[in-house]
Amino acid sequence: MASSFPEEVLEHVFSFLISQKDRNAVSLVCRSWYEMERWCRKRIFVGNCYAVNPRVMSRRFPEVRAVYLKGKPHFADFNLVPDGWGGYVYPWIVEIARVYPWLEEIRLKRMVVSDECLEMIGKSFRSFKVLVLKACEGFSTDGLAAIAANCRNLRVLDLRECEVEELSGHWLSHFPDSFTSLECLNMACLSSEVSFSALERLVARSPNLKTLRLNRTIPLEKLSTLLQQAQQVVDFGAGSYSAEIRSDVYSSLADAFSRCKNLKSLSGFWDVTPAYLPAIFSVCSQLTSLNLSYATTQSPDLTKIVGQCYNLQRLVVLDYIEDTGLSTVSMTCKDLRELVVFPSDPYVADANVLLTEQGLVSVSQGCPKLHSVLYFCRRMSNSALISISQNRPNLTCFRLCIIEPRVPDYLTLEPLDAGFGSIVKNCKQLTRLSMSGLLTDRVFEYIGTHAKNLDMLSIAFAGDSDLGLHHVLSGCDNLRKLEIRDCPFGDKALLANASKLERMRSLWMSACFVSFGACKLLGQKMPGLNVEVIDERANVNSIPDYAPVEKVYIYRTVSGPRFDMPDFVRIMGKDKDGVNNLS
Amino acid sequence: MDLINFEATELRLGLPGSTDEQPEIKSITSVVSTNKRSSSEMGSSISDENDSSRSSPPTKAQVVGWPPVRSYRRNILQGKKSDQSETGSGIYVKVSMDGAPYLRKVDLKMYKGYEELMKGLQGMFKCIIGLYSEMEGYKSEYAPTYEDKDGDWMLVGDVPWDMFLTSCRRLRIMKSCDVIES
């Protein structure tokens, strides 16, 4: 059958397949489809940079135009992965530069990117268009200067939440005067001042600029100047939104915002002077995305804003919004899909704001399209969670962080098993779940039984025994990422479900009861897994096999053990040549 | 609640046919030696699990990485750029050493004074820093320096420890020959 279809037809059909999952499926049909597909795959996604080495990618896919790599595990965001662990993109850049001269896009998440890498990117790819670095580190503004100076066709420079060594603000001035193709510039994570005139000229000569996210050093007084030059902007991030109250500054700012007819997304807003907030009122009804999570504005001002955002789909805000503000959201933002509420003062045990579980319940009641939640609060009840699950069976992502660990239902003092159980029972499309509060093994039984679509699960300070972990590993058929900290889970459940680990991307366990011996055994018996023990204790070599490790990170790989580890990372059960050490 | 029959498992510790007897796994805190670089993560979390009852809330120990908020968000309220990432009670600063391939991070709050800090750094980088004297600085191959709030590079040890804690933004262990005497 395969030979009766001309190649050109197949190639044309395959060109409509975008998702990697579909392409992977297609490539398994038969050898000729495999060959056909690999020659026309343009976009590669590698969810764990150590699962495969760059050569495997370049040998199989000769025509790649876009690469997306992820490095460190998610818990690196919270300082649980020590510096120096790994995630270096350098070997990938070397191979990509060697094989794909026509590469256009590089996206990296949680990787270590050196200036040398950025220089290589700048010099190696003639058609380079898109650079997105999310939560990356290891580079300085010199590297950015190299990108600016060399990438003549750059469209996107998006630095999200990166840790950049800021040597100077002059990097921006390296974009040549002839450079006019910029569509997206996100420098919100930088803290050094750039030359404002260079920025202004850059904006003025970029007619396709749709996204402009400034950093905190750009003062409010200068915003109207920039906005006048970029009235076509769709996604705008203000800098520091504070200034002396002056009516001329206010009116030119309000006027500038009102001219941005395409503006759909607002963010930034550090250090807000409330009197300047009404300047954005004219665009509120246009907004589909609003991120005020840096704005230390109080509830009344926040409420006035969200009360006008009839078309809002995504809201990210601090808990200053309080239950009253969320009640307004529930009545106004009928198109809301995603809600994120961050804590303003996470290290204070007592609530500094009037934000409770009620805010989340009201939004779940009023917003029928709400499917994604990240919510930090200080108390929760089973009845609230049950209500939320009944209101919103369409939830796909539910991440609840009760700030104090192991806090029970504040009404009944019982564990929150029933509440989270209701979430997984009712929300059948749930793919991501993070839990907190007091939880016993029972909640894991519910999860293993009901959460059949769960892809990623985050657990902290929960459970009573290995049974909890066993329920999750044996029950959650689609689980790919599991991250656990400070839970009494140990060897039994891990070893009993060893083969499951090869069907997952990764498992992280820290401050649990997994022993050195179990890690060695797992590494020896499972050739498709790297079992990395991360342990910084000085006497780690004399710790007995039955003692628990500090942290273990287990991931499947086709490329065997890596060799770029620091001394506090050991890959267990394999000798230097990557052969399973069965002795 | 009956445990599932784990003997039917694929893998377990010990020889086939032997029973799964292991010595009781001690909590992590009890096997940690005092050489440990940072014990705040191990702190109260495991021992709390062992002895706290269900209904009483845990002690108010600050735990690394909890609540799960990224470090750049923590500095919002303080309104300052800082190389210090506060994790509750900890003050983490980056430490570089000339010639070392990557940086480390230390929690300054883990040390009671300069002597402990030097011991910690020496252990981490496997170098000799030695003792400090007011007249002569450090008489060894390496000299510890730090960047203060004003962005100036200072020799570690001149100011009282508490003052150092609030003003130190990052550490750099320099080769003594590169330190310019002023």
Side-chain angles (χ1 to χ4, degrees), chain A residues 77-80 82-84 88 135 137 160-161 163 165-166 191 216 270-271 291 293-296 316 318 320 342-347 349 376 401-406 408 413 415 435-436 438 440-442 460-461 463-467 470-471 485-488 491-493 495-496 498-499 510-513 515 517-518 521-522 525-526 536-539 543 546-551 566-568, chain B residues 1-6 8-14 16 20 22-50 52-83 85-89 92-95 101-106 123-124 126 170:
Chain A
D77 286 356
F78 315 125
N79 296 336
L80 289 182
D83 285 345
Y88 304 105
E137 56 169 352
R160 294 181 204 170
E161 306 170 16
E163 263 186 56
E165 200 185 342
E166 313 221 22
S191 32
R216 203 170 180 173
W270 284 271
D271 323 309
N291 185 337
S293 60
Y294 299 111
T296 53
V316 184
L318 286 174
Y320 287 131
F342 283 119
S344 50
D345 209 348
Y347 301 110
F376 285 79
C401 180
I402 306 167
I403 286 178
E404 187 76 30
R406 301 197 193 92
L413 295 185
M435 307 188 292
S436 53
L438 185 62
T440 73
D441 281 348
R442 175 141 281 148
F461 306 103
D464 311 308
S465 75
D466 271 52
L467 202 52
H470 178 72
H471 282 308
R485 61 163 298 171
D486 294 273
C487 295
D491 300 341
K492 283 198 173 118
L495 297 177
S499 61
S510 56
C512 297
F513 291 139
S515 70
L521 185 61
L522 199 59
K525 291 292 172 77
M526 309 295 292
E536 294 173 278
R537 286 174 285 190
N539 62 341
I543 296 178
Y546 61 78
V549 303
E550 283 187 352
K551 303 166 185 174
D567 57 13
F568 55 83
Chain B
M1 187 192 300
D2 280 339
L3 282 183
I4 290 169
N5 181 9
F6 282 112
T9 63
E10 297 176 22
L11 298 179
R12 59 192 179 91
L13 291 179
D20 208 1
Q22 297 167 36
E24 186 193 306
I25 294 180
K26 301 189 182 121
S27 74
I28 291 181
T29 45
S30 64
V31 295
V32 168
S33 84
T34 51
N35 271 347
K36 190 158 152 35
R37 191 161 72 85
S38 155
S39 63
S40 56
E41 182 178 21
M42 297 299 116
S44 55
S45 50
I46 295 294
S47 42
D48 269 353
E49 183 57 44
N50 289 337
S52 70
S53 68
R54 281 292 146 70
S55 53
S56 62
T59 53
K60 214 77 74 193
Q62 299 289 354
V63 182
V64 168
W66 191 267
V69 176
R70 296 204 55 207
S71 31
Y72 65 84
R73 287 204 169 277
R74 294 182 198 124
N75 291 331
I76 296 167
L77 297 185
Q78 285 126 31
K80 59 184 196 279
K81 167 189 148 70
S82 170
D83 284 316
S85 35
E86 305 238 345
T87 58
S89 59
Y92 281 84
V93 299
K94 288 186 184 170
V95 188
Y102 49 82
L103 277 61
R104 303 299 293 273
K105 259 199 179 132
V106 288
M124 195 187 301
K126 317 259 188 300
R170 52 147 79 177

Side-chain angles (χ1 to χ4, degrees), chain A residues 459-530:
Chain A
I459 309 171
F461 306 103
D464 311 308
S465 75
D466 271 52
L467 202 52
L469 179 57
H470 178 72
H471 282 308
V472 169
L473 288 177
S474 59
C476 296
D477 301 329
N478 283 303
L479 191 67
R480 284 185 319 122
K481 290 173 277 183
L482 179 58
E483 46 185 27
I484 302 172
R485 61 163 298 171
D486 294 273
C487 295
F489 300 148
D491 300 341
K492 283 198 173 118
L494 196 62
L495 297 177
N497 293 282
S499 61
K500 168 71 173 176
L501 299 178
E502 275 185 338
R503 295 194 299 278
M504 292 168 56
R505 180 186 294 171
S506 65
L507 167 63
W508 168 281
M509 293 179 74
S510 56
C512 297
F513 291 139
V514 179
S515 70
F516 280 93
C519 292
K520 263 186 230 173
L521 185 61
L522 199 59
Q524 283 167 7
K525 291 292 172 77
M526 309 295 292
L529 295 179
N530 278 354

